[in-house]
Structure formats: structure tokens, C-alpha cells
Amino acid sequence: MRRSQKAVFMMLFMISVLAILPVSASAAYKYESLQFDKWYTLNTDTDTMTVYKLKITDNTIVYVNWKDYHDRDNNWGYGEIYRDKICQQPVSPVTMDVFLTKTSGRNGFVLYKGTYYVLMFDRAERAQAIFTKGKIKSINKPNYCLSNAIQMKKRKKIEIAQTKTDNYDRWYKIVLNKKERITISGNFRQYEMDFYLYDSNFNEIRCTKKDGIFETDGKQPRGTYYLVVRNPVYTLLEQGKYYCLSMK
């Protein structure tokens, strides 16, 4: 009697363990090489869904554009980049955590040389995504000090690719011709922002930080200000950071 009870207990225990294991641990994914400049229609999530293999031969900016995603009727989509084939080790913070959060959009990631795996789906099977790549040297400017600061203009986008070899501070000059609030928007997250704003006397300006927005707590007097974007080297050892900023 005791043996049968023990057997039943072990069976129930194993069922419980299997029930809480990640889906990816038992998934039989299909693998396909991801092609740049090609539109992909996203399918729903299943244990046998396609995972796209992405091989990077040098430090590269990878852009993703998506369209036709509609978050309604219990529909939801997802996109993330992993280091391993079974998709359990996300490349953080180089993840597509802003991918499929609105109907259409664009995001970028700095990936180092290596092989990655892209997992993405749309339960409504409507969304489409296309990946392109860009050269880091084409967007990085030598604005590593105040004398080389680049002037920011309203609604003009600025791109930054921070890597473990291109990890210098970026300096930007902001000129206010009247009293107004300074607001910087972009693809950054509150927890990863290393932005600092100073006046012409290098007094740091108090700012509010939240996802996608960095702004002064009030209107600032007419004058010259400096925005500095920096990332400590240790935050760039495993992956780079891509910023796309604009001043409102």
C-alpha cells in the first residue's frame, strides 16, 4: 500500500514539475536563417514555431521595422533576441522589448560578432517585420568633449551606437531662445538611461526620467545647455547600446 502511495506521489510531483517548466525547454523549434531586407509575416506562438538564426560578423547596428500589429481582442505579440538555440538566455538589454508595443514602429540594436536567435510572433498572424543593418561608423560622431558638442535641433533625430570600443561620452549643445522646458524623447528605458543635462556653468539640471522621456522638471531660462550621454564600459561588455533621440 505504501509503495503504491509513493508511486502516485512521485507521478503527481513529476506532473507538477513539467507544468511549470518553460515552454522553450520542451519546444521543438524549427530554425531558419534570418535574411536582411526581407519582410516576414509573424505566426502565432507554438512549440514548433520558427526561430530565426542571425549571424553577425562584426559589430553591427540591426534595425527592425514592423507594421500591421494590433493589440486588441486578446491579441499580443513578442520579439526578443537570444544567445542560445532554445531561447532561454535573452540578450539583455539588447532585446526587442519595444517591438510590437504599437501598430508600427522601428527600433535598433547594437550586436557584437556572434550568432543570435530571434524569436518573434503575433497571435493574430497579421504583423510583419523586416530587419536591416547599418554601420556603426556611419552614425557615430567625434563629439567626445564639450568643444566638439553637436547642436541639437528640435525634431531632428540623432543616433548613437555605444560599444565596448566606441564607449566615449557624447556631448550635445542645446540653445534656448526663450524660456521653455527641455524634453528629449527616444527609444531608451528609464532603468538604462545615462543622460545628464548641464547649464553653461556646468550645474546639473534636475530632470524627470521615464521610459522614452527625459525632461527638465520645469521651464529653463534662455541660454545654452549641454546634454551628455555616457555608458560605463562594464555595461557594454556583452552587448552595445543603440539610442535614437530627438528634442521636442
Side-chain angles (χ1 to χ4, degrees):
M1 182 65 178
R2 289 182 178 177
R3 288 184 179 180
S4 62
Q5 288 178 333
K6 184 176 180 180
V8 171
F9 172 79
M10 290 300 296
M11 181 178 67
L12 292 174
F13 175 77
M14 290 302 297
I15 291 173
S16 299
V17 170
L18 291 173
I20 62 175
L21 282 175
V23 173
S24 58
S26 58
Y29 292 138
K30 293 180 290 185
Y31 295 89
E32 178 182 327
S33 293
L34 189 145
Q35 297 181 38
F36 288 107
D37 305 310
K38 174 184 175 180
W39 281 100
Y40 289 89
T41 299
L42 278 56
N43 296 316
T44 190
D45 54 321
T46 65
D47 286 356
T48 58
M49 64 188 295
T50 299
V51 171
Y52 297 94
K53 183 178 180 180
L54 178 60
K55 188 173 183 179
I56 301 297
T57 57
D58 197 5
N59 295 350
T60 303
I61 304 173
V62 178
Y63 299 102
V64 55
N65 288 68
W66 68 92
K67 62 182 181 180
D68 299 331
Y69 173 70
H70 302 279
D71 187 8
R72 61 171 182 256
D73 302 326
N74 295 320
N75 172 46
W76 63 293
Y78 178 85
E80 195 158 22
I81 301 175
Y82 292 86
R83 296 185 183 280
D84 59 320
K85 291 184 68 173
I86 59 175
C87 300
Q88 287 188 320
Q89 300 174 27
V91 181
S92 178
V94 189
T95 55
M96 292 185 283
D97 51 3
V98 296
F99 178 34
L100 296 181
T101 56
K102 51 187 178 181
T103 302
S104 62
R106 184 175 190 258
N107 195 21
F109 316 94
V110 176
L111 298 179
Y112 296 160
K113 181 179 179 181
T115 300
Y116 302 87
Y117 298 88
V118 181
L119 180 63
M120 54 184 176
F121 64 83
D122 173 28
R123 285 192 173 174
E125 300 190 329
R126 284 186 300 238
Q128 292 182 293
I130 186 172
F131 291 79
T132 56
K133 59 182 177 179
K135 294 182 178 180
I136 290 175
K137 290 183 179 180
S138 67
I139 68 167
N140 280 342
K141 310 299 180 184
N143 55 328
Y144 53 83
C145 62
L146 183 144
S147 61
N148 289 355
I150 296 173
Q151 184 166 343
M152 293 190 76
K153 298 181 179 180
K154 290 187 176 181
R155 293 174 292 279
K156 183 178 180 180
K157 291 184 178 180
I158 291 175
E159 293 182 282
I160 301 171
Q162 290 275 44
T163 74
K164 57 187 174 183
T165 53
D166 290 304
N167 62 325
Y168 53 89
D169 293 355
R170 269 56 169 199
W171 285 76
Y172 297 95
K173 183 179 180 180
I174 298 172
V175 178
L176 298 185
N177 295 317
K178 62 179 181 179
K179 186 176 182 179
E180 60 182 309
R181 186 189 303 271
I182 298 174
T183 302
I184 309 297
S185 61
N187 66 330
F188 44 81
R189 283 303 185 76
Q190 178 179 355
Y191 64 83
E192 68 178 4
M193 283 198 302
D194 289 294
F195 299 169
Y196 303 88
L197 185 66
Y198 302 95
D199 64 17
S200 58
N201 294 318
F202 297 101
N203 297 308
E204 187 171 356
I205 306 299
R206 183 180 176 87
C207 295
T208 297
K209 302 178 181 182
K210 56 185 178 181
D211 288 355
I213 295 292
F214 176 81
E215 64 181 356
T216 56
D217 288 351
K219 292 183 177 181
Q220 302 302 307
R222 176 180 176 179
T224 301
Y225 298 84
Y226 295 96
L227 174 71
V228 182
V229 181
R230 61 170 57 103
N231 291 105
V233 177
Y234 69 85
T235 67
L236 302 167
L237 294 179
E238 296 298 324
Q239 65 278 316
K241 288 187 179 181
Y242 169 81
Y243 295 123
C244 184
L245 314 175
S246 63
M247 184 171 65
K248 291 187 175 181

